[in-house]
Amino acid sequence: DDGYTVRVLGVGPGSATISAYGNVASVAVTVEDAVVTPELVARVVTSLDAAGAAQSFTSEADVGYLYVYARYANGDAHMLDDAELSVEVLAPDTLAYSLTSGGRHELSIV
């Protein structure tokens, strides 16, 4: 891993070759005309450090932020932007939800 991330968005079926500057490397990409249904995976992160993320509500003062990604059968996973999410709390007497001014989904225990 060289620290670079490149995203390619397929807008229609077909194939293309993507080449690095000077043709030092290339990759062939194929977009298929098939319907795939991802699994949505949601996590509430209450703490984050160099060791990783954690979800632990130990008091009513703890808050967490919602992260959701789509996981596909082939192993691909894509994070969803906060703006793409619609949150409904089914147990408001147990869980508090708010949308922060920065557009983050914040959850806490009531």
Side-chain angles (χ1 to χ4, degrees):
D1 181 10
D2 57 12
Y4 293 99
T5 300
V6 177
R7 289 187 174 215
V8 177
L9 176 64
V11 295
S15 296
T17 300
I18 301 170
S19 300
Y21 181 76
N23 288 325
V24 295
S26 65
V27 63
V29 177
T30 300
V31 175
E32 297 178 359
D33 188 13
V35 175
V36 293
T37 303
E39 172 189 14
L40 292 181
V41 180
R43 299 287 184 257
V44 176
V45 176
T46 58
S47 66
L48 183 63
D49 59 25
Q55 176 180 313
S56 178
F57 289 99
T58 57
S59 77
E60 291 180 2
D62 290 342
V63 298
Y65 296 95
L66 181 65
Y67 292 86
V68 179
Y69 64 93
R71 180 172 48 205
Y72 297 88
N74 68 356
D76 286 349
H78 304 281
M79 290 296 299
L80 277 70
D81 291 331
D82 285 329
E84 296 178 294
L85 302 175
S86 175
V87 176
E88 178 182 357
V89 176
L90 300 178
D93 56 327
T94 305
L95 184 68
Y97 163 77
S98 66
L99 186 61
T100 69
S101 60
R104 305 276 314 274
H105 299 276
E106 184 178 83
L107 300 163
S108 61
I109 303 299
V110 174

